[in-house]
Amino acid sequence: MTLGELIGLLEEYRDEHGEDCEVRLMTQQNWPFENRIAGVTSGAEMNEAEHDDPHEFADEQDVAVDAMVYIVEGGQICYGSKRAWETCRDC
């Protein structure tokens, strides 16, 4: 999925449910969990941060693509539902 496609899908939900609707991340289709979203980052930001102070971070592995956006999990909230995979909208 591209950033533009994700933005388009999120705009549809904003129009249906409003901007204050909470967003969670559903993971593990066979044993679903709902997770908070900690935030977003990019490959470029991660690569730059490691080079700024390489001893501050747990790994020294560069991300292969600078122009990649990551949604970062913020922790498990509760069990999820397998129906999320059956009903998800895709592009």
Side-chain angles (χ1 to χ4, degrees):
M1 178 175 289
T2 67
L3 184 57
E5 292 168 338
L6 177 60
I7 289 169
L9 288 172
L10 291 174
E11 285 174 341
E12 288 178 23
Y13 281 97
R14 179 194 61 205
D15 294 344
E16 292 176 23
H17 303 287
E19 288 193 5
D20 293 332
C21 180
E22 184 177 0
V23 177
R24 294 183 178 183
L25 181 66
M26 188 76 74
T27 60
Q28 301 184 166
Q29 185 174 1
N30 290 327
W31 192 268
F33 291 107
E34 292 183 25
N35 298 276
R36 288 177 197 77
I37 296 175
V40 295
T41 190
S42 71
E45 290 171 315
M46 289 189 283
N47 288 336
E48 289 170 16
E50 195 278 327
H51 295 294
D52 290 343
D53 187 358
H55 302 292
E56 182 180 345
F57 301 97
D59 65 56
E60 295 180 11
Q61 180 177 347
D62 279 348
V63 179
V65 180
D66 280 349
M68 185 78 67
V69 174
Y70 294 90
I71 298 173
V72 181
E73 176 195 340
Q76 181 183 332
I77 298 171
C78 60
Y79 292 110
S81 170
K82 292 182 180 185
R83 287 176 291 189
W85 283 265
E86 297 167 10
T87 61
C88 74
R89 298 180 193 180
D90 57 7
C91 296

